[in-house]
Amino acid sequence: MREVPEMTINDYLEDYLIKMLEFRGAAGYATVTYKVTLLPFIEFCCSYYRDAEILTSEMLDEWLAYKGYSLNTQAAFIACLRQYCRYINFLGIKAYIPDEDYTLKRIAYEPYLFTDNELQVLFYALDGYGPSTNNKKYKPEIVTSPMFRMMYCCGMRPSEPLHLRCSDVNLDTGDIYIRETKKHKDRHIIMSRDMLGLCKKYDGLAGRRTWFFEYNSGPYDRKWMTAQFGHCWKRSGLGCHTKPRPYDLRHAFATRNLMRWIDRGMDVNNLIPYLSTYMGHSKIGSTFYYIHLLPERIRNSAGVDWKQFSAIYGKEGDSIED
């Protein structure tokens, strides 16, 4: 491996990150997470260690102390950094690859399970959202209701409605094309008639645009979405000690479909692959995770062979692919 004493990390760290992202993008892999996660670390190193020639474990330690990541966020950062350091080592540039001492076991988030009444009250609060007083361009009074209903009625990940273009939503057929999703699994889903009607109404109010949910010529971001959801939850009066996330609407979609099928005596064994495809899971075991979120009375239903599920799809609740 060649030495590069004539170079400092300022000369190559950011450039090599761009090259790695181009390589990943050309291979069909996601790049946004790597850029958002690693670029601040690279800027930190270039500012505080401008004369250094290589990345070291000391730089990593200083960065972790400076950022104070949560457990899950640090685990995600280390995973991205490890891939980046392996990449530049492959190119002949020395860099410390984080060892197992930095490997953390992520804490799985326990989804919040809404009651029927909570969903009703929450959507009443969403529907009653008044015009924004701080920035009228955001227009939460017309955006929040269709955005969050789309997540719940269509089982979407939070990022999916945000990244929809108008051309992805067919307001004649109700077809939604979801692209650039997790695991790169593009898919088409069909809205219900009620959801389609709401989208048509919203489209008439939103006017001409590129993004289906558009703000200032671009899509709304996750931070804004999360803030509006929390605000509506607080306004609903449902409780200040519980803080569900927008993601929990997707969990509610999955569990309620399962409960409805079981209550109606339908064959869940045959139906769960359809649910998996609709939700965009790359493996059916991820959909099987939702079974352990069901109420005990349904889990113990005599009409469903849970042991058969485990034999076919793997250990129950082994992992969730959000």
Side-chain angles (χ1 to χ4, degrees), residues 28 35 37 45 57 60 81 117 120 136 148 151-152 154 157 176 182 200 202 215 281 319:
K35 184 176 181 179
T37 303
C45 292
S57 60
L60 174 55
L81 181 63
N117 179 67
Q120 184 177 5
K136 295 182 179 180
F148 290 117
M151 286 184 59
Y152 172 63
C154 301
R157 302 176 177 95
I176 300 177
K182 194 167 184 177
K200 287 181 177 180
Y202 161 73
Y215 159 70
H281 287 150
S319 63

Side-chain angles (χ1 to χ4, degrees), residues 27 30 40 78 83 86 89 92 128 137 141 153 184 191 217 245 251 254 260-261 268-269 273 282 301-302 308 318:
I78 292 297
Q83 292 299 318
R86 285 172 178 164
N89 270 275
K137 291 182 179 180
E141 68 275 13
C153 296
H184 321 290
M191 289 184 279
S217 300
R245 313 169 304 167
H251 301 320
R260 185 172 67 252
W261 294 340
V268 180
N269 293 55
S282 62
S301 170
Q308 182 183 17
D318 187 46

Side-chain angles (χ1 to χ4, degrees), residues 44-173:
F44 173 85
C45 292
C46 290
S47 295
Y48 291 94
Y49 300 94
R50 62 185 63 195
D51 296 326
E53 298 174 4
I54 62 174
L55 282 179
T56 65
S57 60
E58 288 75 17
M59 294 180 193
L60 174 55
D61 291 337
E62 287 293 327
W63 171 251
L64 294 178
Y66 169 76
K67 285 296 289 183
Y69 286 126
S70 66
L71 186 66
N72 285 2
T73 306
Q74 180 172 324
F77 166 72
I78 292 297
C80 290
L81 181 63
R82 188 175 286 125
Q83 292 299 318
Y84 172 66
C85 291
R86 285 172 178 164
Y87 175 79
I88 60 178
N89 270 275
F90 174 77
L91 296 180
I93 302 295
K94 285 184 177 179
Y96 172 73
I97 300 174
D99 59 26
E100 292 304 313
D101 289 341
Y102 292 98
T103 300
L104 300 171
K105 184 177 181 181
R106 303 189 192 191
I107 300 174
Y109 175 82
E110 188 66 28
Y112 184 85
L113 301 181
F114 300 100
T115 64
D116 291 341
N117 179 67
E118 284 176 332
L119 283 174
Q120 184 177 5
V121 173
L122 174 61
F123 279 110
Y124 182 80
L126 288 166
D127 293 341
Y129 212 126
S132 173
T133 56
N134 296 326
N135 191 331
K136 295 182 179 180
K137 291 182 179 180
Y138 276 114
K139 298 182 179 179
E141 68 275 13
I142 68 170
V143 172
T144 53
S145 182
M147 178 183 288
F148 290 117
R149 269 190 168 81
M150 184 178 283
M151 286 184 59
Y152 172 63
C153 296
C154 301
M156 287 184 171
R157 302 176 177 95
S159 62
E160 291 174 348
L162 296 175
H163 293 158
L164 287 176
R165 297 175 181 270
C166 288
S167 57
D168 296 330
V169 183
N170 190 321
L171 294 176
D172 293 322
T173 64

Side-chain angles (χ1 to χ4, degrees), residues 268-317:
V268 180
N269 293 55
N270 289 332
L271 289 172
I272 201 168
Y274 292 99
L275 179 62
S276 184
T277 300
Y278 192 92
M279 296 185 71
H281 287 150
S282 62
K283 55 184 180 180
I284 203 167
S286 297
T287 316
F288 181 51
Y289 163 86
Y290 290 106
I291 290 174
H292 100 276
L293 300 180
L294 298 178
E296 193 69 20
R297 67 175 180 85
I298 295 180
R299 282 170 52 84
N300 294 334
S301 170
V304 180
D305 188 348
W306 302 120
K307 290 184 179 180
Q308 182 183 17
F309 265 110
S310 296
I312 296 173
Y313 301 128
K315 183 180 178 182
E316 178 184 343

Side-chain angles (χ1 to χ4, degrees), residues 256-268:
R256 275 170 165 70
N257 271 288
L258 288 168
M259 286 190 289
R260 185 172 67 252
W261 294 340
I262 294 170
D263 286 340
R264 293 178 181 178
M266 302 171 75
D267 191 339
V268 180

